[in-house]
Amino acid sequence: MNDTKLVSFDFWNTLAKSNPEYAKERNRYIASELCLRVETVKQEYQKVKNESDKIVEENEECLSNPDIYKKFLETVRRSDYSWIKLRHSIEKLFEEYPPYILPETINVLHKLQKGTKMAITSTNIIVISTDTSYNIPGDWSAEQITATYSA
């Protein structure tokens, strides 16, 4: 008999993998929009990401989405640029190049569905909370699962 009642997964790099084209297009867009070199965008973006991750790990708190965009713009000396415009454009790119879930991950989720509740979380928010009454189609992307099962 299985005594497992709940299985919790981290979303990024456990269940979902980033679409490699997304980062390329995001960096190209930011470089073009802010008149920067792509390499500069990559380096500064990584610095802000690492700093944000470190804050989460050390303090168990997260920078807000606006704070991350503002920090990036400050880092590249473009605080004058609208973080809202940047976020909106990057979100469009994310929709165009969504993350993906590997077929073997979908298979595991289907097996766990029988009698086990699942919680799928991200660094700072609960992305999905499901119970066994939900069916996760095998060909769904992370975006479709999130849209259907987000709280």
Side-chain angles (χ1 to χ4, degrees):
M1 182 174 167
N2 183 355
D3 292 334
T4 304
K5 303 281 186 224
L6 173 72
V7 178
S8 179
F9 297 97
D10 181 54
F11 188 71
W12 289 110
N13 297 320
T14 301
L15 295 182
K17 303 291 182 189
S18 296
N19 183 331
E21 293 304 309
Y22 166 71
K24 290 177 193 172
E25 292 302 318
R26 178 199 63 215
N27 293 340
R28 270 186 256 194
Y29 168 79
I30 294 172
S32 172
E33 190 69 16
L34 301 180
C35 301
L36 299 168
R37 291 185 11 226
V38 171
E39 193 57 38
T40 300
V41 171
K42 284 171 61 176
Q43 289 171 351
E44 299 305 319
Y45 184 89
Q46 193 61 50
K47 281 183 195 174
V48 171
K49 182 186 179 317
N50 291 345
E51 185 178 315
S52 176
D53 290 348
K54 186 177 179 181
I55 290 169
V56 169
E57 290 169 10
E58 291 178 355
N59 305 319
E60 295 183 10
E61 60 184 50
C62 302
L63 293 176
S64 68
N65 193 277
D67 287 341
I68 291 171
Y69 280 97
K70 290 173 186 177
K71 182 123 189 95
F72 174 77
L73 289 167
E74 182 181 299
T75 301
V76 296
R77 296 184 173 99
R78 285 302 310 269
S79 298
D80 60 313
Y81 192 86
S82 168
W83 70 267
I84 296 171
K85 180 180 177 186
L86 184 64
R87 181 176 84 174
H88 181 71
S89 298
I90 289 174
E91 286 174 350
K92 282 184 179 179
L93 286 171
F94 187 81
E95 290 173 12
E96 211 173 307
Y97 302 96
Y100 59 93
I101 296 178
L102 299 172
E104 55 269 24
T105 302
I106 294 291
N107 291 339
V108 169
L109 292 175
H110 279 289
K111 288 177 185 174
L112 286 172
Q113 233 177 323
K114 297 175 177 95
T116 306
K117 289 186 178 190
M118 290 183 275
I120 302 173
T121 60
S122 187
T123 305
N124 58 354
I125 59 167
I126 292 180
V127 178
I128 305 167
S129 179
T130 67
D131 66 30
T132 55
S133 65
Y134 294 116
N135 290 315
I136 302 172
D139 61 342
W140 274 21
S141 68
E143 179 183 17
Q144 288 169 300
I145 292 171
T146 301
T148 301
Y149 295 118
S150 62

